[in-house]
Each structure stands twice: as structure tokens, then as C-alpha cells.
Amino acid sequence: KVLDEALRTDFGFSQILWVYSGRRGIHCWIADETARKLNNSGRGAIADYMSVVIGGDNQSKKVLLPGALHPAIERAVEITAGYFDELMIRNQDFLSTPEKR
């Protein structure tokens, strides 16, 4: 939902298909003409725009949240807030013991 909303709202794409391959995870196919004409650099710029975690094989990964939150991140928080209690606290019980707190 977060990625779909960003692609629609921030980039104006409308013809979006999400596919789960099982072995390789989730893929997003965008059929809008402007998306189909993007080169590797353009597609990479969209991926970078949506990246919150930075790092690589030779770096420790870090969450990058400089200053005020970007509107796309604020929107993502709004979308995911309703799922946090059920998925993280109840289902995964990640605060159940002092070691987990």
C-alpha cells in the first residue's frame, strides 16, 4: 500500500500491477508510457526516492530520517499505523520480555 500510493501520488502512475513470484518476492509492473520509457537511471531515481534504509554490502545499514519527515514518509506512517498494534505487538509479541524491550 505504501509503495503503490507513492507511485500513484508522487509520480502520477496509474497502470500498476503487483506480482508476487514466490521465489523472488514482489515485483511492480508499471504500464504507463512515461514509466516504460524510463532508462536505468530514471528507474533508479524512483527507487532512491523511496529508500529509507541506506547502506550496502560493505556498510552497516542505517535508517536515514534527516530533520522533518518527507511527506511520502509521513503518508507511509499514516498507512501503516493501523497495522502496527496487531502485527508487531500482538502477532509478533516483540515487547513480551525484558530482553525484547
Side-chain angles (χ1 to χ4, degrees), residues 88 91-101:
M88 296 300 294
N91 292 355
Q92 295 186 26
D93 203 18
F94 83 112
L95 296 175
S96 62
T97 65
E99 297 82 29
K100 292 182 178 180
R101 291 184 198 141

Side-chain angles (χ1 to χ4, degrees), residues 3-22:
L3 296 174
D4 191 82
E5 184 64 27
L7 291 168
R8 292 177 190 282
T9 301
D10 299 339
F11 295 97
F13 299 136
S14 61
Q15 299 177 35
I16 299 173
L17 174 66
W18 293 96
V19 179
Y20 180 71
S21 71

Side-chain angles (χ1 to χ4, degrees), residues 3-5 24 29 39 43 51 57 62 69 73 76 86:
L3 296 174
D4 191 82
E5 184 64 27
R24 295 186 62 209
W29 296 345
N39 59 20
R43 288 190 299 276
S51 295
D57 291 339
K62 296 179 173 81
L69 292 179
I73 304 256
E86 180 182 347

Side-chain angles (χ1 to χ4, degrees), residues 12-41:
F13 299 136
S14 61
Q15 299 177 35
I16 299 173
L17 174 66
W18 293 96
V19 179
Y20 180 71
S21 71
R23 188 173 58 106
R24 295 186 62 209
I26 297 171
H27 301 271
C28 178
W29 296 345
I30 303 174
D32 294 57
E33 184 177 359
T34 54
R36 288 185 285 117
K37 289 183 176 181
L38 287 172
N39 59 20
N40 286 342
S41 177

